[in-house]
Amino acid sequence: MLLLEAMDSLLPSLIKRQLDSKRLGKPIHHYVRLGSTNDIADQLASAGAPEGTMVVTEHQTHGRGRLGRSWFSQKGKDLCFSLVLRPDVPPCNLSCLSLILGIAVGDAIEKISGLKPDLKWPNDLLINGKKCCGILSEVRTELGEVKYLIVGIGINVNAKVVSTGLSMTASTLFQQTGRQISRSQLLVEILNCFEPFYFEFLDQKIKPLLDLWVKKSSYAEDRWVLVKQIDRSFQGITQGLSKHGALLVKRGEGWVEEVLAGDIIEWDKKVTSS
Ligand code: BTN
């Protein structure tokens, strides 16, 4: 086993030493193996765990993705963790949170690996067109009131190959750089990058963050996309984000849809402005 692999555990003692955050990653619950970090974080949150509580594992066996999909990760190779958040903001702003988290994860990946991920609405990070990271944000409400949110992040880090059937669409940081990346450093950097953004979000300074997301995403503007939702699909040209983080897609003259849920797929070619 290479030295970095041997040393690259996600033990709380290792993480805490490097962490600059005030709230995020406090406390840390570390598991050698579990089903889904989102599920454990949810249990802890419903029992009263404070904002910032983090659940991280060396091996996630039943990871969940968006829209009921599975999320595959490899033991000791990938990064899977979840945070408990208790933001006191209007519920209509919550969908911006995973976009903002995506910016922070992208910045952290860039700092640690030198790669510059692209952001694909709503929650994917792509490198050279292949998905390296996904974010699953789950809101728990009681009597119509937001109680807490679990945000789960999965990053394909050091595996030499991705899971069967995913090689056309997914990749790992190792495949993209040709070198091992320290998962603990990446995790620390994500928390350090996300916290200042999160505090701006809590202060409702959301517009500059959404503008930053648009700047960092090649999908945000002037891109032909196919929008796939549970009950319908349509094509259009992206036009940026609404103030609540919905993707604006132009379907015809004067007809712009606010897309709140679903997936987008690149359609044909990038539109060139005349
Ligand atoms: C997606 O792209 O569909 C979102 C994937 C989110 C995966 C992460 S891994 C950590 C956390 N625990 C889960 O079960 N899912 C999220």
PDB file of all heavy atoms in Angstrom, residues 168-186:
ATOM      1  N   MET A 168     -18.362   6.132 -19.107  1.00  0.00           N
ATOM      2  CA  MET A 168     -18.606   7.153 -20.144  1.00  0.00           C
ATOM      3  C   MET A 168     -19.013   8.488 -19.519  1.00  0.00           C
ATOM      4  O   MET A 168     -18.800   9.545 -20.107  1.00  0.00           O
ATOM      5  CB  MET A 168     -19.733   6.707 -21.092  1.00  0.00           C
ATOM      6  CG  MET A 168     -19.398   5.494 -21.929  1.00  0.00           C
ATOM      7  SD  MET A 168     -17.972   5.785 -22.970  1.00  0.00           S
ATOM      8  CE  MET A 168     -18.693   6.814 -24.233  1.00  0.00           C
ATOM      9  N   THR A 169     -19.617   8.416 -18.333  1.00  0.00           N
ATOM     10  CA  THR A 169     -20.192   9.643 -17.775  1.00  0.00           C
ATOM     11  C   THR A 169     -19.528  10.117 -16.481  1.00  0.00           C
ATOM     12  O   THR A 169     -19.736  11.247 -16.065  1.00  0.00           O
ATOM     13  CB  THR A 169     -21.696   9.423 -17.468  1.00  0.00           C
ATOM     14  OG1 THR A 169     -21.801   8.237 -16.655  1.00  0.00           O
ATOM     15  CG2 THR A 169     -22.516   9.271 -18.724  1.00  0.00           C
ATOM     16  N   ALA A 170     -18.757   9.225 -15.844  1.00  0.00           N
ATOM     17  CA  ALA A 170     -18.174   9.601 -14.549  1.00  0.00           C
ATOM     18  C   ALA A 170     -16.671   9.407 -14.570  1.00  0.00           C
ATOM     19  O   ALA A 170     -16.127   8.664 -15.396  1.00  0.00           O
ATOM     20  CB  ALA A 170     -18.796   8.756 -13.443  1.00  0.00           C
ATOM     21  N   SER A 171     -16.004  10.077 -13.644  1.00  0.00           N
ATOM     22  CA  SER A 171     -14.551   9.960 -13.558  1.00  0.00           C
ATOM     23  C   SER A 171     -14.124  10.189 -12.108  1.00  0.00           C
ATOM     24  O   SER A 171     -14.962  10.479 -11.252  1.00  0.00           O
ATOM     25  CB  SER A 171     -13.927  10.996 -14.496  1.00  0.00           C
ATOM     26  OG  SER A 171     -12.524  10.858 -14.513  1.00  0.00           O
ATOM     27  N   THR A 172     -12.827  10.034 -11.852  1.00  0.00           N
ATOM     28  CA  THR A 172     -12.319  10.275 -10.500  1.00  0.00           C
ATOM     29  C   THR A 172     -11.208  11.319 -10.586  1.00  0.00           C
ATOM     30  O   THR A 172     -10.627  11.535 -11.657  1.00  0.00           O
ATOM     31  CB  THR A 172     -11.730   8.977  -9.891  1.00  0.00           C
ATOM     32  OG1 THR A 172     -10.481   8.691 -10.526  1.00  0.00           O
ATOM     33  CG2 THR A 172     -12.658   7.787 -10.066  1.00  0.00           C
ATOM     34  N   LEU A 173     -10.907  11.923  -9.448  1.00  0.00           N
ATOM     35  CA  LEU A 173      -9.844  12.932  -9.450  1.00  0.00           C
ATOM     36  C   LEU A 173      -8.511  12.277  -9.807  1.00  0.00           C
ATOM     37  O   LEU A 173      -7.676  12.879 -10.470  1.00  0.00           O
ATOM     38  CB  LEU A 173      -9.761  13.636  -8.084  1.00  0.00           C
ATOM     39  CG  LEU A 173     -11.045  14.326  -7.610  1.00  0.00           C
ATOM     40  CD1 LEU A 173     -10.791  15.086  -6.314  1.00  0.00           C
ATOM     41  CD2 LEU A 173     -11.601  15.263  -8.672  1.00  0.00           C
ATOM     42  N   PHE A 174      -8.350  11.013  -9.372  1.00  0.00           N
ATOM     43  CA  PHE A 174      -7.115  10.291  -9.732  1.00  0.00           C
ATOM     44  C   PHE A 174      -7.004  10.152 -11.251  1.00  0.00           C
ATOM     45  O   PHE A 174      -5.944  10.396 -11.835  1.00  0.00           O
ATOM     46  CB  PHE A 174      -7.073   8.906  -9.061  1.00  0.00           C
ATOM     47  CG  PHE A 174      -5.861   8.126  -9.471  1.00  0.00           C
ATOM     48  CD1 PHE A 174      -4.644   8.319  -8.822  1.00  0.00           C
ATOM     49  CD2 PHE A 174      -5.902   7.227 -10.529  1.00  0.00           C
ATOM     50  CE1 PHE A 174      -3.502   7.636  -9.227  1.00  0.00           C
ATOM     51  CE2 PHE A 174      -4.766   6.534 -10.929  1.00  0.00           C
ATOM     52  CZ  PHE A 174      -3.568   6.739 -10.279  1.00  0.00           C
ATOM     53  N   GLN A 175      -8.101   9.749 -11.890  1.00  0.00           N
ATOM     54  CA  GLN A 175      -8.057   9.584 -13.350  1.00  0.00           C
ATOM     55  C   GLN A 175      -7.725  10.907 -14.044  1.00  0.00           C
ATOM     56  O   GLN A 175      -7.086  10.924 -15.079  1.00  0.00           O
ATOM     57  CB  GLN A 175      -9.405   9.063 -13.870  1.00  0.00           C
ATOM     58  CG  GLN A 175      -9.671   7.608 -13.522  1.00  0.00           C
ATOM     59  CD  GLN A 175     -11.031   7.143 -14.034  1.00  0.00           C
ATOM     60  OE1 GLN A 175     -11.985   7.910 -14.108  1.00  0.00           O
ATOM     61  NE2 GLN A 175     -11.116   5.872 -14.381  1.00  0.00           N
ATOM     62  N   GLN A 176      -8.182  12.002 -13.461  1.00  0.00           N
ATOM     63  CA  GLN A 176      -7.994  13.303 -14.103  1.00  0.00           C
ATOM     64  C   GLN A 176      -6.628  13.918 -13.846  1.00  0.00           C
ATOM     65  O   GLN A 176      -6.162  14.748 -14.619  1.00  0.00           O
ATOM     66  CB  GLN A 176      -9.095  14.276 -13.645  1.00  0.00           C
ATOM     67  CG  GLN A 176     -10.499  13.847 -14.065  1.00  0.00           C
ATOM     68  CD  GLN A 176     -10.713  13.911 -15.573  1.00  0.00           C
ATOM     69  OE1 GLN A 176     -10.168  14.781 -16.259  1.00  0.00           O
ATOM     70  NE2 GLN A 176     -11.496  12.991 -16.116  1.00  0.00           N
ATOM     71  N   THR A 177      -5.994  13.532 -12.717  1.00  0.00           N
ATOM     72  CA  THR A 177      -4.697  14.151 -12.397  1.00  0.00           C
ATOM     73  C   THR A 177      -3.542  13.167 -12.534  1.00  0.00           C
ATOM     74  O   THR A 177      -2.380  13.573 -12.618  1.00  0.00           O
ATOM     75  CB  THR A 177      -4.662  14.638 -10.929  1.00  0.00           C
ATOM     76  OG1 THR A 177      -4.962  13.514 -10.088  1.00  0.00           O
ATOM     77  CG2 THR A 177      -5.632  15.764 -10.664  1.00  0.00           C
ATOM     78  N   GLY A 178      -3.853  11.862 -12.434  1.00  0.00           N
ATOM     79  CA  GLY A 178      -2.800  10.848 -12.442  1.00  0.00           C
ATOM     80  C   GLY A 178      -2.084  10.736 -11.110  1.00  0.00           C
ATOM     81  O   GLY A 178      -1.024  10.124 -11.016  1.00  0.00           O
ATOM     82  N   ARG A 179      -2.668  11.368 -10.067  1.00  0.00           N
ATOM     83  CA  ARG A 179      -2.029  11.223  -8.745  1.00  0.00           C
ATOM     84  C   ARG A 179      -3.060  11.078  -7.633  1.00  0.00           C
ATOM     85  O   ARG A 179      -4.226  11.457  -7.797  1.00  0.00           O
ATOM     86  CB  ARG A 179      -1.075  12.383  -8.474  1.00  0.00           C
ATOM     87  CG  ARG A 179      -1.742  13.723  -8.381  1.00  0.00           C
ATOM     88  CD  ARG A 179      -0.709  14.846  -8.210  1.00  0.00           C
ATOM     89  NE  ARG A 179      -1.336  16.143  -8.353  1.00  0.00           N
ATOM     90  CZ  ARG A 179      -1.952  16.787  -7.373  1.00  0.00           C
ATOM     91  NH1 ARG A 179      -2.013  16.259  -6.168  1.00  0.00           N
ATOM     92  NH2 ARG A 179      -2.521  17.963  -7.585  1.00  0.00           N
ATOM     93  N   GLN A 180      -2.581  10.513  -6.515  1.00  0.00           N
ATOM     94  CA  GLN A 180      -3.450  10.336  -5.347  1.00  0.00           C
ATOM     95  C   GLN A 180      -3.723  11.696  -4.702  1.00  0.00           C
ATOM     96  O   GLN A 180      -2.821  12.523  -4.586  1.00  0.00           O
ATOM     97  CB  GLN A 180      -2.748   9.454  -4.301  1.00  0.00           C
ATOM     98  CG  GLN A 180      -2.439   8.049  -4.762  1.00  0.00           C
ATOM     99  CD  GLN A 180      -3.651   7.143  -4.665  1.00  0.00           C
ATOM    100  OE1 GLN A 180      -4.415   7.227  -3.724  1.00  0.00           O
ATOM    101  NE2 GLN A 180      -3.807   6.278  -5.634  1.00  0.00           N
ATOM    102  N   ILE A 181      -4.945  11.877  -4.281  1.00  0.00           N
ATOM    103  CA  ILE A 181      -5.337  13.132  -3.612  1.00  0.00           C
ATOM    104  C   ILE A 181      -5.657  12.781  -2.166  1.00  0.00           C
ATOM    105  O   ILE A 181      -6.339  11.776  -1.907  1.00  0.00           O
ATOM    106  CB  ILE A 181      -6.614  13.705  -4.287  1.00  0.00           C
ATOM    107  CG1 ILE A 181      -6.410  13.942  -5.800  1.00  0.00           C
ATOM    108  CG2 ILE A 181      -7.118  14.947  -3.569  1.00  0.00           C
ATOM    109  CD1 ILE A 181      -5.512  15.068  -6.177  1.00  0.00           C
ATOM    110  N   SER A 182      -5.230  13.599  -1.228  1.00  0.00           N
ATOM    111  CA  SER A 182      -5.536  13.337   0.173  1.00  0.00           C
ATOM    112  C   SER A 182      -7.007  13.654   0.446  1.00  0.00           C
ATOM    113  O   SER A 182      -7.446  14.806   0.317  1.00  0.00           O
ATOM    114  CB  SER A 182      -4.641  14.195   1.077  1.00  0.00           C
ATOM    115  OG  SER A 182      -5.227  14.284   2.356  1.00  0.00           O
ATOM    116  N   ARG A 183      -7.761  12.625   0.829  1.00  0.00           N
ATOM    117  CA  ARG A 183      -9.193  12.837   1.089  1.00  0.00           C
ATOM    118  C   ARG A 183      -9.402  13.725   2.307  1.00  0.00           C
ATOM    119  O   ARG A 183     -10.332  14.535   2.350  1.00  0.00           O
ATOM    120  CB  ARG A 183      -9.903  11.490   1.315  1.00  0.00           C
ATOM    121  CG  ARG A 183      -9.970  10.622   0.073  1.00  0.00           C
ATOM    122  CD  ARG A 183     -10.641   9.304   0.379  1.00  0.00           C
ATOM    123  NE  ARG A 183     -10.056   8.669   1.547  1.00  0.00           N
ATOM    124  CZ  ARG A 183     -10.691   7.826   2.353  1.00  0.00           C
ATOM    125  NH1 ARG A 183     -11.944   7.520   2.114  1.00  0.00           N
ATOM    126  NH2 ARG A 183     -10.084   7.282   3.380  1.00  0.00           N
ATOM    127  N   SER A 184      -8.526  13.571   3.317  1.00  0.00           N
ATOM    128  CA  SER A 184      -8.724  14.380   4.524  1.00  0.00           C
ATOM    129  C   SER A 184      -8.469  15.857   4.225  1.00  0.00           C
ATOM    130  O   SER A 184      -9.217  16.737   4.661  1.00  0.00           O
ATOM    131  CB  SER A 184      -7.834  13.880   5.666  1.00  0.00           C
ATOM    132  OG  SER A 184      -6.489  13.895   5.259  1.00  0.00           O
ATOM    133  N   GLN A 185      -7.428  16.134   3.418  1.00  0.00           N
ATOM    134  CA  GLN A 185      -7.172  17.546   3.065  1.00  0.00           C
ATOM    135  C   GLN A 185      -8.311  18.120   2.240  1.00  0.00           C
ATOM    136  O   GLN A 185      -8.702  19.270   2.412  1.00  0.00           O
ATOM    137  CB  GLN A 185      -5.877  17.665   2.268  1.00  0.00           C
ATOM    138  CG  GLN A 185      -4.650  17.725   3.149  1.00  0.00           C
ATOM    139  CD  GLN A 185      -3.368  17.764   2.307  1.00  0.00           C
ATOM    140  OE1 GLN A 185      -3.374  18.093   1.124  1.00  0.00           O
ATOM    141  NE2 GLN A 185      -2.275  17.410   2.937  1.00  0.00           N
ATOM    142  N   LEU A 186      -8.835  17.285   1.339  1.00  0.00           N
ATOM    143  CA  LEU A 186      -9.947  17.748   0.507  1.00  0.00           C
ATOM    144  C   LEU A 186     -11.168  18.055   1.371  1.00  0.00           C
ATOM    145  O   LEU A 186     -11.819  19.094   1.212  1.00  0.00           O
ATOM    146  CB  LEU A 186     -10.268  16.680  -0.557  1.00  0.00           C
ATOM    147  CG  LEU A 186     -11.392  16.990  -1.531  1.00  0.00           C
ATOM    148  CD1 LEU A 186     -11.126  18.272  -2.318  1.00  0.00           C
ATOM    149  CD2 LEU A 186     -11.590  15.826  -2.518  1.00  0.00           C
TER     150      LEU A 186
END
